[in-house]
Amino acid sequence: MPSIPLILIASLLTITIATNQHQSTNALYRCGIRKRFGAQLIHHGQTAGLGQWPWHAAIYHRIDSRTSPNGTYKCGATLIDQQHVLTAAHCVIAQTGQSLKPHQLLIHLGKHDLYKFDGQLQIVNVSEVHIHEEFSPNRHDVVLLVLGEVVRYSEYVVPICLEPVSGGRADDLVGQRGWVAGWGINENGTLSEVLKTTQMPVVEITECARSDPNLFGRFVSQAVYCASDRNGTSVCLGDSGGGMYFSTGDRWELRGIVSFGSESETGSCDTGKYIMFTNVAHYYPWIRNLTDGRVGHINIVSKKISERKCEAYALKARKRSNGVCNNLFSYFKTWKIRVGSQEDIDIAEVIVHPNYNSKRRLNNLMLFKLSQPLSLGSRLLPACLANPATENLYDSLMVTGYTGKYRRFYENVNIKAISTQECIARQTAQNDTRIVTPVEVCVVARHEEEFDGEDYLLAGFTGASLQTFNSRSYMFTTLGVSNADGLELEVYTRVASHLEWIEAFVWGDEYLEDEQTATDGAVEDDEMGTETVQEATTTASPRAANFYNKYSHDFYFPDGLKNV
């Protein structure tokens, strides 16, 4: 008898340690930010890239373990945090009309090939099923699934963001194109073997009702919205429960769940008709209540001080009239800084990175300490600083700075980041001896016009900011600082790889307190064999340790009730 309590204690301790290990890894990710380079998104349907939609999940039914021991694929779903998945309610309804029990459901995360069990795949049990209390066929078609364990985030498994929308309406989506993904029925009448993806526009709900009053008219409400190109590229049986994703610039948000559509004369999906989606924003309070307010947020470890400062500034932010970020402009001859319309400010101190290599332009960063504080307000706020978790090199990028003969403001959004391997290959082909390193990022730029008839990179563009913009918070995040290496292939010093050094100088004692707190709460990660306190960097500082950055980089009628 005395041995039983000891066994229970040991088991609980093992579970706690495993959870902590996942949490230390999960803290290196943020919702809606992808961590893999993939193909550029296109208009028509295509095979999704591996890790292109890391929040997309697959739901499997395991009702009969004798005939299908691994379960049967049923629907799509969306990971919204480390222990919750959102999908359509009809995806957890059996042929009998009864809801399935948690043990009858399996969730596959990080999946790309439907019939393969790849190394990145995570298979998780379900512990709770929360079907919306007012669910009936095609109404309130939403269910929250609680996973039986904390999932481990990776390049292939990342949650998407959920944010509140005023009034819980979808009006702001009309005219926008959202992305969907799934393994649904294809043109051959079979489930797709690989994950497919496409985008489609959201239309006015009244347009949807007019297009087919008998089908859509009776379901029109603020709880749903319609979308489709009606051009043959659409979702179909097996795609139910999957999400519709929208980009806010540097993050992706979940705004819809595939619910139902129209049946063609042949009994298949009518891709010439609209698709009805569950409006996730309408159910945001319901989701928040079931998840104790934790959905969409990672409150695992303390955020870095620069990230907390950014969130504080975001409370004061509002949409800029010109939609761009006005960079600092420095006059090196007189050592002054000009910001917006404020008077020029003297520089009190210049801090050059201690590992700066002028020949290689490595660690090419410098901090200016101003002689007096700036007057900040809603129209003049500091940019956020990217860290390994918030750095997004895979979506919409922009570069801004001052250049040309008269040092006028310049902005370019026709750019994309490329992998270190691709950059090195291009540099080698150009006989460039300054090979890019992991603490830098390569950007391929297309410049539509010259600036004052000069090559802008030869006219003082060094130090320009590579950044992202979030259309919800109206905040810019600085990803890198230009080395001005070339016209088409540009190299930027990564802020995330030098953040320890920046924070140590800018926030001093606050930074040291954060580091001490992180060290006290560190756990050992058996898989990596290292202490996972903080993503490391390659920078050095008298006030910061020398770390290295480890990371690289169905619907037309409820699936459960018809055509099973």
Side-chain angles (χ1 to χ4, degrees), residues 126-143:
V126 173
S127 63
E128 299 175 31
V129 177
H130 297 279
I131 298 176
H132 195 276
E133 301 80 5
E134 299 180 64
F135 166 70
S136 63
N138 301 342
R139 286 187 172 90
H140 303 290
D141 196 8
V142 58
V143 59

Side-chain angles (χ1 to χ4, degrees), residues 43-230:
H43 179 74
H44 294 290
Q46 65 166 359
T47 297
L50 186 62
Q52 182 174 345
W53 305 119
W55 35 81
H56 188 74
I59 295 180
Y60 281 70
H61 288 188
R62 48 178 181 178
I63 299 175
D64 190 342
S65 58
R66 294 170 299 177
T67 57
S68 300
N70 296 321
T72 302
Y73 171 75
K74 192 62 180 177
C75 281
T78 307
L79 182 69
I80 58 174
D81 69 12
Q82 57 183 354
Q83 210 162 0
H84 294 95
V85 163
L86 205 62
T87 188
H90 74 256
C91 287
V92 297
I93 303 297
Q95 296 182 59
T96 60
Q98 300 297 312
S99 61
L100 297 178
K101 304 299 182 182
H103 71 272
Q104 295 176 305
L105 297 167
L106 277 177
I107 305 298
H108 287 209
L109 298 163
K111 196 174 190 68
H112 186 261
D113 290 24
L114 187 61
Y115 302 111
K116 291 183 179 180
F117 294 82
D118 299 310
Q120 76 274 2
L121 176 65
Q122 297 181 47
I123 301 177
V124 188
N125 292 319
V126 173
S127 63
E128 299 175 31
V129 177
H130 297 279
I131 298 176
H132 195 276
E133 301 80 5
E134 299 180 64
F135 166 70
S136 63
N138 301 342
R139 286 187 172 90
H140 303 290
D141 196 8
V142 58
V143 59
L144 182 76
L145 304 180
V146 181
L147 304 182
E149 61 186 89
V150 171
V151 302
R152 184 185 182 106
Y153 296 161
S154 68
E155 293 182 349
Y156 313 99
V157 179
V158 178
I160 198 169
C161 296
L162 258 67
E163 298 290 345
V165 177
S166 178
R169 303 175 65 90
D171 298 351
D172 62 310
L173 298 180
V174 175
Q176 295 190 51
R177 302 186 70 88
W179 285 87
V180 293
W183 294 276
I185 300 294
N186 57 29
E187 60 275 9
N188 299 319
T190 60
L191 289 175
S192 174
E193 295 185 3
V194 295
L195 187 65
K196 297 290 186 178
T197 185
T198 190
Q199 59 169 316
M200 57 183 65
V202 177
V203 300
E204 293 280 0
I205 194 70
T206 52
E207 165 62 22
C208 190
R210 282 196 299 267
S211 71
D212 193 334
N214 293 329
L215 177 63
F216 298 120
R218 53 200 169 116
F219 298 118
V220 169
S221 73
Q222 292 184 15
V224 295
Y225 69 81
C226 273
S228 181
D229 272 315
R230 300 192 296 174

Side-chain angles (χ1 to χ4, degrees), residues 12 267 339 344 415 505:
L12 290 172
V339 184
D344 293 355
I415 55 178
F505 274 104

